[in-house]
Amino acid sequence: MQTGAPQDTDGLHCLVTGATGYIGGRLVPELLAAGHRVRCLARTPEKLRDHPWADSAEVVKGDVTDADSIAAAMDGIDVAYYLVHSLGTGAEFEEKDRRAAETFAEQARAAGVRRIVYLGGLTPRGVPEEELSRHLRSRAQVGHIFLDAPVPATVLRAAVIIGSGSASFEMLRYLTERLPVMVTPSWVRTRIQPIGVRDVLRYLVGSARMPAEVNRAFDIGGPDVVTYREMMRRYATVAGLRRRLIMPVPMLTPRLSSLWVGVVTPVPASLARPLTESLRHEVVCREHDIAQYVPDRAGQPLPSPLPFDESLALALRRVREAAVVTRWSSASVPGAPSDPLPTDPDWAGGSLYQDERQLTVDAPREALWRVIEGIGGDNGWYSFPLAWAVRGWLDRFVGGVGLRRGRRDAERLRIGDSLDFWRVEEIEPGHLLRLRAEMRLPGLAWLEMYAERDEDGRTRYRQRALFHPRGLSGHAYWWSVAPFHAVVFGGMARNITQAAAKSMSAPKKGRTHERRPDPPH
């Protein structure tokens, strides 16, 4: 997919990698608002199709590990943003990160790029890099690669980022809201300097125009230095919760901590572990030199950098207004299948199991579509809630994402959105929703829901579950769950059609939240 970008002779031409992720998806509109032209590099460009800014940016297909696609994407670029990492892709993720960064730096030099901007992690003072967590060590290594390259680089180093939908904020929110009494690991006493996402974006945008002679790392953080225990207590105050009782214990290792976080919060253990490991050491800014190039703004309704409590309040407002722009789960799950749908022309063949159901609906197609698009999250899956919950817990147990990622928006979906343990692969408004499974399975799975009209002009709901097994275990899995399909998939079809019909007799509820542009948080 490629869309035309607006021409602006004063703005810079910026390349953004990681635009399908949490920070990248918010950075693009900020760069556009600052008058820059933006090109996004994405492995799956279709995931950016439904973003509000899609028609204002250019989107090209490519991968940071592929030198040819990077070279093409760098053509004519002034500033290249590197917002990707290989965390969770396997034991060799550090080596993958190193090779990708080297490729990116080399292609930037060859293309005549003026500056590379990288968002990394804040490292603790006085701790040798070999003693850091693999996550922080890899981030630091990537920063060194860019600073040693011929192209001037700005390396921004942040600790905990607070914003609606960020993994750090979700972890803090769910731990505090769900546990009035907590037995916690010792890292809750570690001092941290969190930063609001709006300030991270402000520094990223401002870095584009740094003088050519600037080639260095900058520590970025908010004005507050707090312990994680204090963060939880202050969250409880901002959220209007009763005071939380927090009791640190020394025996919870980072691995046990990540499993504990994975049980209590929607953040899976695979992501929680690098987050908790990063909190073993104090992460406090050593300098605030970034203000020389991106000045602070004091004495305004929203000062910069934003105080911690203000960042919490803004993020909570976004969550409560269902106005979360991107979430930590916006990025694809590492290792998730990317094979084409078996009905695609280029499918390689093989076994394919299907469960297809269709029912006539006593409601307009628009009413049926509202139910389809609202599925998942707090609305559930319209059949056998216990079975879905058990399947989610089993997935978490084997290291999967589980059922609790929920939705980015309570009413609207777009391609690339995570939806519990599914991801939106295709959406044709008013007609088709196709979900790809990201749970741990011995094969590939899709769920399709259609709002159609039959030959007599009546509304018809059609539902199709597809499973392409991998090996003998895949076939065994399908036949082991087949006896439950009538309850799970049959019940889903019946309940969705009934919900659509009931919605026609329910009192109409107008949309009460007209959304105005707000500062990102």
Side-chain angles (χ1 to χ4, degrees):
M1 178 180 74
Q2 182 164 325
T3 55
Q7 300 298 313
D8 190 319
T9 55
D10 295 326
L12 300 171
H13 199 178
C14 301
L15 174 69
V16 176
T17 63
T20 59
Y22 177 73
I23 293 293
R26 298 188 180 209
L27 176 61
V28 172
E30 295 296 310
L31 289 170
L32 291 170
H36 302 306
R37 290 181 291 147
V38 178
R39 178 183 296 157
C40 302
L41 180 76
R43 285 176 296 187
T44 310
E46 293 77 15
K47 289 184 178 180
L48 299 175
R49 186 190 72 190
D50 297 332
H51 284 253
W53 44 260
D55 291 337
S56 301
E58 180 187 2
V59 182
V60 297
K61 183 178 177 64
D63 191 291
V64 293
T65 61
D66 176 34
D68 290 339
S69 66
I70 288 293
M74 291 278 192
D75 183 38
I77 290 297
D78 299 308
V79 181
Y81 286 88
Y82 193 84
L83 302 174
V84 295
H85 59 79
S86 302
L87 180 67
T89 59
E92 303 301 320
F93 81 87
E94 289 181 85
E95 177 62 19
K96 291 179 182 178
D97 274 343
R98 183 190 64 78
R99 291 199 306 266
E102 290 174 346
T103 299
F104 196 82
E106 172 56 29
Q107 296 305 321
R109 180 203 61 79
V113 171
R114 300 184 201 173
R115 177 165 300 278
I116 293 172
V117 181
Y118 170 60
L119 177 62
L122 186 59
T123 54
R125 186 190 316 226
V127 179
E129 285 190 4
E130 59 269 19
E131 295 182 16
L132 298 176
S133 68
R134 295 182 65 202
H135 166 60
L136 273 183
R137 189 168 63 232
S138 179
R139 293 293 184 94
Q141 182 185 47
V142 169
H144 294 324
I145 289 170
F146 289 144
L147 292 174
D148 292 340
V151 177
T154 300
V155 174
L156 302 179
R157 304 190 300 191
V160 172
I161 297 177
I162 300 297
S164 60
S166 76
S168 297
F169 176 73
E170 292 286 281
M171 192 170 93
L172 174 66
R173 179 164 78 99
Y174 280 91
L175 284 175
T176 310
E177 290 186 354
R178 291 182 171 175
L179 298 176
V181 178
M182 287 176 269
V183 176
T184 59
S186 58
W187 50 254
V188 300
R189 293 176 292 201
T190 302
R191 294 204 316 155
I192 309 160
Q193 192 163 351
I195 182 171
V197 67
R198 67 188 300 273
D199 286 311
V200 173
L201 296 172
R202 187 172 63 87
Y203 291 139
L204 285 168
V205 173
S207 295
R209 293 194 180 277
M210 282 190 177
E213 65 272 15
V214 176
N215 181 63
R216 57 162 292 182
F218 295 91
D219 293 353
I220 58 172
D224 299 281
V225 176
V226 293
T227 65
Y228 204 89
R229 175 163 54 182
E230 186 179 353
M231 287 170 62
M232 289 190 284
R233 285 178 171 161
R234 287 169 73 166
Y235 177 93
T237 300
V238 171
L241 305 174
R242 296 177 61 183
R243 182 178 175 85
R244 268 37 191 165
L245 180 60
I246 303 169
M247 298 176 291
V249 294
M251 69 280 299
L252 284 177
T253 64
R255 182 176 182 278
L256 290 175
S257 296
S258 65
L259 294 174
W260 170 67
V261 171
V263 168
V264 177
T265 81
V267 180
S270 58
L271 180 56
R273 183 165 185 176
L275 291 177
T276 55
E277 283 183 334
S278 300
L279 298 173
R280 287 185 302 166
H281 304 289
E282 180 176 285
V283 276
V284 175
C285 296
R286 285 161 270 188
E287 40 82 11
H288 186 53
D289 297 348
I290 188 71
Q292 298 174 28
Y293 305 98
V294 188
D296 295 341
R297 298 197 300 261
Q300 297 187 19
L302 289 177
S304 296
L306 200 63
F308 176 67
D309 289 357
E310 290 292 329
S311 294
L312 286 179
L314 290 172
L316 271 172
R317 192 185 84 187
R318 281 276 179 152
V319 169
R320 289 168 177 173
E321 291 180 355
V324 179
V325 180
T326 59
R327 297 180 70 223
W328 61 270
S329 56
S330 298
S332 297
V333 174
S338 57
D339 303 52
L341 184 72
T343 50
D344 291 349
D346 56 351
W347 182 55
S351 300
L352 179 68
Y353 294 113
Q354 297 190 52
D355 182 283
E356 186 165 1
R357 300 170 189 272
Q358 55 186 19
L359 291 170
T360 301
V361 186
D362 187 20
R365 193 165 68 165
E366 295 75 15
L368 174 60
W369 177 251
R370 283 195 296 271
V371 176
I372 292 173
E373 193 176 11
I375 201 166
D378 291 340
N379 291 330
W381 291 87
Y382 290 93
S383 73
F384 205 175
L386 179 59
W388 286 95
V390 169
R391 186 63 185 87
W393 279 107
L394 289 174
D395 193 53
R396 300 281 281 203
F397 181 75
V398 297
V401 295
L403 195 64
R404 292 180 299 164
R405 290 190 299 182
R407 299 172 54 106
R408 177 190 59 83
D409 186 294
E411 298 179 359
R412 300 288 181 262
L413 293 174
R414 64 190 185 203
I415 286 182
D417 273 359
S418 62
L419 184 58
D420 293 328
F421 48 46
W422 306 87
R423 189 169 298 276
V424 179
E425 183 174 84
E426 181 57 86
I427 184 167
E428 298 175 13
H431 175 58
L432 164 67
L433 174 62
R434 179 186 299 142
L435 306 176
R436 176 190 289 273
E438 289 190 332
M439 64 194 87
R440 297 293 179 91
L441 289 170
L444 309 174
W446 293 263
L447 178 61
E448 295 182 331
M449 289 165 276
Y450 295 83
E452 302 176 329
R453 287 194 177 90
D454 64 17
E455 56 278 4
D456 297 321
R458 297 173 300 180
T459 301
R460 177 175 61 196
Y461 172 69
R462 184 160 63 92
Q463 174 183 293
R464 191 167 68 135
L466 303 100
F467 183 68
H468 177 41
R470 184 173 57 244
L472 182 61
S473 60
H475 292 277
Y477 171 81
W478 176 265
W479 290 112
S480 68
V481 298
F484 304 100
H485 286 174
V487 175
V488 175
F489 292 132
M492 177 186 291
R494 288 192 303 273
N495 292 332
I496 284 177
T497 56
Q498 289 172 8
K502 288 179 180 177
S503 70
M504 299 308 298
S505 58
K508 301 295 183 186
K509 293 183 179 180
R511 291 175 68 90
T512 59
H513 48 281
E514 282 297 322
R515 296 177 187 166
R516 296 173 294 173
D518 283 323
H521 42 265

